[in-house]
Amino acid sequence: MLGGLLTLAGLALGDVLGHRTTAAWRNLMFVLVTGASCVVMSGLPEHFFPELPARVVFVIKACLGPLAGAMGLFFIGTWLGGLREDSKVHYLTAWGAVALLTAAIVLAVVAMRADLADGHRVLWVSAAVNLVPVVLAMLAVRRASRLGDPLAPWMLLAIVCLAAMVSGHYLHGLNVHGLGTGTRILTAAATVAFFLIASVLGVVRNRQIRQLARLSRLEPGADAATGLHSGAALVTDIEHVFWRTARLQGECTVVCLHLNNLYELTEQCGSGVEHQILATVAARIRRAAGFRCVVGLYHPRCFVVVIHTDRHQAPVAETVERLRSMVGQPMVVVDRQQVRQVFRPQLGVAALTVDPTDALPLEVLNAAERQAAASLNAVPPSRAADTVTAPAPLG
């Protein structure tokens, strides 16, 4: 059990170091404090360190469980969304945590003055108090599950494990007769299962919150549909790539992909269908170009990819061919009647290889965009999707 708790604490610490968010710190504190209460009630500290003062161990046993319960109940309320999701659940968990914190302080004061020979009574009270957050958490999670929280049923399973964990640890800590090795194994298994389920659910919910936060804010200079830089932000990105490549004495290739028929389905499917097309095309370009290339949106029908190369990198022609092949494939969009429609891109591609030392980003962009559009006009529409202008130096 201790090994499992230490492993989960290490994973929670890794999440803190990786994201440094309040939610990650909250998850780490939950594992440390609640896990410490389980370890203390198991009797391991006295076994490994018999010289520990009996009074200190007794006080910790009396108050650490309710303190962990207060923290866990508050965190459950936060995990369920707090006041913005459900005021009843918020008040239930928040005021319940305050009451448990008060009970923990009172139990600590009583344990400091109680006779150690008669300490079982204090521990029985602590056990009764520690069952309160289990009941309150179960009520809160059950209500959230009924209201449609998709993760709440799994948390309800964790609360069942929590009930078995709390009961087992206190029964063993109070030396109740009739409990053998099987009960200890069951208690340890319930402890590890509770922490494992709760930690995974905490990480999943934190990831959902981070994703929603990322989607809710649009970076300045970014296109709303694709998230790609456009306008002045795109020019700044290209300037930076030119400067960095010039220092490395390499070359830059600016690729423009002109989507000629972006608005072809607008009249039939509604005005929102182009957003689906733009998002899909942006994802395909990102996948084909990789994350080291600058990808932007010059205007709604013209995507830009800036590739910086040296003698150790693959030929640019391979990347251009991969872009043409992936972006030119048909895609399925959904119209306003929720009917699937097939969109076949008519794509013109042009690539200009320049010396970044004295190249001007805006001039290169304009020249590449004109070549991509001209390549579509130079061939019949039936072949427009296969049109590529080979990389050429800009003199």
Side-chain angles (χ1 to χ4, degrees), residues 187-207:
T187 302
T191 301
V192 175
F194 164 71
F195 279 97
L196 181 61
I197 298 173
S199 298
V200 170
L201 292 177
V203 170
V204 171
R205 181 55 55 87
N206 293 342
R207 185 179 300 169

Side-chain angles (χ1 to χ4, degrees), residues 58 114-124 174:
F58 176 62
D115 186 4
L116 292 179
D118 198 28
H120 276 63
R121 294 183 179 180
V122 179
L123 291 181
W124 274 112
L174 290 165

Side-chain angles (χ1 to χ4, degrees), residues 4 36 64 127 147-149 152-153 179 252 258 276 311 330 345 350 357 383:
L64 190 57
L147 292 177
D149 191 326
L179 301 178
C252 282
H258 193 280
Q276 302 177 45
R311 66 177 183 273
T357 305
R383 296 180 55 197

